[in-house]
Amino acid sequence: PANVLTLDGPAPFITVNNGSFTNDVVTTGSLGINVNGGTAASSLVLAQANTFTGDVTVNAGTGGNLTLFVRNAGGLGGSAVASNSIVLVGNTSTRALLSLATPGASYPAHNNLVMRPSGASTSSRAELRSVNGNATWNGTISLDGWSGSTSPRCDIYNDAGSSTLTINGNILDLNAYIGQMSLRGANPGIINGNINVPGATVAKDDGGTGTINSETNVWGKTAVLAGTLRLGRENALPATTTLTVGGG
């Protein structure tokens, strides 16, 4: 039989202080897992289709970014009857990243993403990245203002050459998020889900094209800093948004 890791105890955790750790066994259980960074850049790789049903919290360390690589479309656990959350917590000056690394994968709608940058500068970020071929995210994405940061930043980033990152889930506000949501990367990104984050600035950065295909969206300011922001629907832009192109 295949090796199995069962999550047990009050609060299972993995700390990756420096370098990369690959979990290549099926992880099961009714609990979630905390992934903690350390004093240097580090990463955890989930390589199998996991069946645990709790949440996954990615806590960036004090001295380097922390990346959770998912190399299996079922790597983030949860199920159709037990949805879970993947929570990205940026530290004061470091980033928490979820990297979609399964070529051509469509990630299940029961995996919901919470992006929670917590520092006072844009160095603290939460990032969703596509890094290996086409990828589709079907769960919701919540931009979390829980920390009260005055300049939080959440990035949706297509870092994979000759590929498209597609977001089908809705993008929601949590705890009055007031920062920036950036569509980044030189490769195409498409948002089909509704965007409802009243206090946020939606920005296009880097080269490439970001496309918004939803209507009746709600956000604050719109900034096209680089590349192209394409509107795939007549009413994709909120009626009251202020549009800035380039440096202003």
Side-chain angles (χ1 to χ4, degrees):
N3 292 326
V4 174
L5 172 65
T6 301
L7 299 177
D8 197 2
F13 68 91
I14 295 175
T15 297
V16 188
N17 191 53
N18 187 359
S20 180
F21 171 72
T22 297
N23 179 14
D24 203 16
V25 298
V26 175
T27 304
T28 187
S30 60
L31 300 176
I33 188 168
N34 290 294
V35 185
N36 301 317
T39 57
S42 52
S43 63
L44 172 66
V45 179
L46 298 179
Q48 298 295 326
N50 298 309
T51 60
F52 64 86
T53 55
D55 296 339
V56 180
T57 302
V58 181
N59 298 299
T62 58
N65 300 335
L66 176 60
T67 303
L68 179 64
F69 286 96
V70 187
R71 292 185 177 163
N72 187 300
L76 294 169
S79 71
V81 295
S83 62
N84 66 346
S85 295
I86 296 83
V87 185
L88 305 180
V89 184
N91 208 306
T92 304
S93 59
T94 58
R95 307 177 188 187
L97 303 93
L98 174 62
S99 287
L100 308 179
T102 311
S106 182
Y107 294 84
H110 58 252
N111 294 147
N112 299 303
L113 180 63
V114 177
M115 307 177 81
R116 185 182 294 165
S118 58
S121 74
T122 57
S123 296
S124 172
R125 299 184 190 179
E127 296 187 5
L128 173 65
R129 285 187 175 233
S130 177
V131 298
N132 191 6
N134 294 331
T136 301
W137 184 264
N138 295 299
T140 62
I141 299 176
S142 296
L143 311 186
D144 191 353
W146 172 83
S147 70
S149 171
T150 57
S151 57
R153 180 162 166 173
C154 298
D155 290 345
I156 298 174
Y157 204 134
N158 187 4
D159 214 19
S162 302
S163 69
T164 300
L165 171 61
T166 302
I167 306 296
N168 287 330
N170 293 333
I171 300 177
L172 309 171
D173 175 71
L174 185 63
N175 296 313
Y177 182 82
I178 60 170
Q180 181 169 301
M181 182 189 81
S182 296
L183 307 179
R184 298 199 60 195
N187 302 292
I190 298 173
I191 296 178
N192 294 323
N194 182 259
I195 304 172
N196 189 353
V197 191
T201 295
V202 172
K204 177 66 185 86
D205 208 345
D206 304 316
T209 299
T211 301
I212 298 176
N213 283 331
S214 52
E215 295 183 305
T216 64
N217 297 306
V218 179
W219 67 75
K221 299 177 181 179
T222 306
V224 183
L225 306 174
T228 300
L229 180 63
R230 180 178 179 272
L231 305 177
R233 295 290 185 272
E234 182 177 353
N235 298 313
L237 276 184
T240 58
T241 192
T242 301
L243 175 63
T244 301
V245 178

